[in-house]
Amino acid sequence: MDMVVLVYNPGVQRYEPRRVQIKTLNDAVALRGSAAVLLGEAKFAWESGDQALKKAQPDPDELRRAITEAPGEPVTASFLERDGALVPADFHSLNLATLYYNFERAADFFSRIGGLEQAEMGTPQAYYFPEMDISGIGSADNAFFMPLLGFLFLPFDALQKVPLAINGGVLGHEYSHAVFNLKVHDKETFPEADLEWNSPEPEATPGLNLLASIDEGIADLFGTGVTCSEDFSVCDPAFLALSLPSRMGTERQLDLPHCMTPPLLEHLAELNYTDFSNAALEYEVGSVLASAMWRATSDGDLLQSISAEPAAAFARSLMFQTLYKALGSSTSSIGLRALVASHLADQANFRLDSSQSKGVLDTIVDAADDPILKAALCRSFLDRFGFTLDQLKSCPGSSTAYGECSH
Ligand SMILES: [Zn+2]
């Protein structure tokens, strides 16, 4: 089915209407298909003192009932038909059609880089402009994924840029959180690691801090991946700046060099998750990882070793495949899932580096099948994180840092 939606044009750096083919839609008016079910008019409310939220092992169904004031209903989009294509008739219809298209693109990206099938992922449920009342405060201008409810695209208030539902990279970022939850946490509403590692202040929660950080860094990488053209030759690493204040966008722009600093490493190891997350440090640590992975795709040796054209595009697809593989799965003994599971009882040893036991960065290096990509990742990790070879035991002993970060 052909539909007009908003698509990013990197040439002129803006979103513009384009006729695209939507492959998975069953019901155009409700924008329902295997790629997503969109619901409007939902209302959720909770008080921070809610008893259901305070339990150590909350029951998802009970909690969902407790916070849902209106469950939402199928959206109704209006279209005009022109030359065999459906053209959204108003702003919300255009927003909704683009949102559905973005879900389809995200699913397609993960299918191409990792063979992820919609059946394994399930059909995502997305709330469009739900009313959220958190301890009496309404919220707006945000998009997020939470395993308990699904995807939420809140109404606008102050944001004057590209709406979050239209920004394909933002959807890709949130979709990545759902994939991370699927692969690393077996789709658990309340992941075991979160429950095990969470501690009241002021206790340090190094494992939880790191887990949240890699989840964010990977989401910015895959978010960028979803913005890429089909062959990965054109990508938009600056996608966040289109929707967020530009300072927030560049702080996480992964083609800029983001380097680990001693204070950040200290916060990662010593802060309680509440303080770590209130300072948004998971995005800072995540950006170091994202910047390192992206840098490796322009490694000179790697580009020279690739005969496919264009080499940079091939290098990116190789990096995305490696990162997806590094998540692991319930049937694999390698990857982040197994690494997290092996440290449930000792979060202090769930680390970036391998000075104690295998670390997160080793796990990513191990997932690279191509030895030249492996070497590029090592050079990049040594540089961006400032680690020594002793702290990256999966790297060849001959690896040297790029020398772009000063440590
Ligand atoms: Zn995120």
Side-chain angles (χ1 to χ4, degrees):
M1 175 183 314
D2 282 5
M3 207 175 254
V4 173
V5 299
L6 290 174
V7 178
Y8 185 66
N9 178 344
V12 293
Q13 298 187 355
R14 54 163 194 258
Y15 279 81
E16 51 191 32
R18 193 180 302 166
R19 180 176 174 149
V20 297
Q21 196 193 16
I22 304 214
K23 302 174 193 116
T24 59
L25 213 48
N26 299 325
D27 180 338
V29 171
L31 285 158
R32 185 173 52 232
S34 61
V37 170
L38 308 188
L39 297 169
E41 314 280 336
K43 180 168 184 192
F44 305 103
W46 62 82
E47 297 290 331
S48 50
D50 263 355
Q51 285 313 307
L53 284 169
K54 282 193 162 164
K55 288 189 182 165
Q57 302 273 355
D59 172 40
D61 291 328
E62 191 191 325
L63 193 51
R64 216 175 282 122
R65 272 196 303 275
I67 67 171
T68 304
E69 291 191 0
E73 46 196 75
V75 299
T76 43
S78 325
F79 295 97
L80 310 167
E81 206 174 331
R82 197 180 299 152
D83 303 327
L86 294 177
V87 183
D90 54 59
F91 170 73
H92 280 295
S93 300
L94 180 61
N95 216 7
L96 287 163
T98 304
L99 180 58
Y100 188 89
Y101 173 68
N102 285 339
F103 268 107
E104 201 174 90
R105 285 199 48 176
D108 186 56
F109 168 77
F110 284 101
S111 157
R112 280 183 289 128
I113 62 143
L116 177 61
E117 288 174 17
Q118 199 80 61
E120 185 187 352
M121 183 71 186
T123 294
Q125 186 158 291
Y127 294 98
Y128 180 75
F129 283 30
E131 209 178 307
M132 300 280 278
D133 181 354
I134 302 166
S135 300
I137 304 161
S139 18
D141 292 338
N142 209 345
F144 48 94
F145 168 76
M146 54 192 287
L148 183 68
L149 296 174
F151 294 82
L152 295 117
F153 294 86
L154 303 188
F156 330 122
D157 181 13
L159 284 182
Q160 301 292 330
K161 297 178 140 189
V162 176
L164 294 163
I166 281 173
N167 190 321
V170 169
L171 191 272
H173 174 103
E174 298 310 325
Y175 205 92
S176 169
H177 285 314
V179 171
F180 192 90
N181 177 259
L182 168 74
K183 292 306 214 181
V184 179
H185 300 308
D186 279 343
K187 239 182 178 173
E188 289 168 336
T189 307
F190 303 104
E192 204 181 346
D194 290 357
L195 297 173
E196 284 291 325
W197 292 350
N198 205 356
S199 281
E201 288 180 86
E203 215 172 304
T205 54
L208 195 57
N209 300 348
L210 179 56
L211 187 61
S213 301
I214 56 177
D215 195 355
E216 291 305 335
I218 291 172
D220 280 346
L221 280 155
F222 285 148
T224 298
V226 170
T227 69
C228 296
S229 56
E230 195 148 331
D231 70 347
F232 298 99
S233 60
V234 184
C235 303
D236 180 25
F239 71 86
L240 280 168
L242 296 168
S243 293
L244 299 180
S246 53
R247 183 184 54 84
M248 284 170 75
T250 46
E251 277 169 0
R252 286 165 58 189
Q253 192 174 326
L254 47 74
D255 58 344
L256 300 174
H258 299 291
C259 308
M260 184 53 92
T261 62
L264 190 54
L265 212 47
E266 203 177 292
H267 293 327
L268 187 62
E270 290 171 12
L271 286 187
N272 178 270
Y273 180 67
T274 306
D275 300 323
F276 186 77
S277 157
N278 282 342
L281 297 181
E282 65 270 48
Y283 297 103
E284 279 189 43
V285 176
S287 293
V288 179
L289 175 66
S291 158
M293 298 290 298
W294 191 258
R295 171 63 181 91
T297 64
S298 57
D299 179 88
D301 292 344
L302 178 63
L303 294 179
Q304 222 164 37
S305 74
I306 295 169
S307 53
E309 280 290 335
F314 190 83
R316 284 173 198 151
S317 81
L318 216 52
M319 181 273 286
F320 287 130
Q321 288 168 41
T322 300
L323 187 60
Y324 181 83
K325 196 179 144 205
L327 297 177
S329 71
S330 55
T331 53
S332 168
S333 61
I334 58 153
L336 291 169
R337 183 188 181 279
L339 191 70
V340 168
S342 72
H343 290 300
L344 282 177
D346 63 333
Q347 64 170 313
N349 285 326
F350 178 70
R351 300 168 59 95
L352 277 167
D353 66 279
S354 50
S355 48
Q356 308 292 331
S357 54
K358 195 174 276 294
V360 164
L361 300 181
D362 292 281
T363 304
I364 296 172
V365 170
D366 288 347
D369 295 320
D370 179 326
I372 302 175
L373 174 62
K374 204 186 276 280
L377 288 171
C378 287
R379 301 193 67 186
S380 204
F381 287 160
L382 288 168
D383 177 52
R384 297 294 196 253
F385 289 92
F387 288 152
T388 60
L389 276 171
D390 247 9
Q391 295 171 293
L392 285 169
K393 294 207 173 65
S394 293
C395 287
S398 56
S399 308
T400 50
Y402 286 129
E404 293 166 8
C405 292
S406 51
H407 291 285

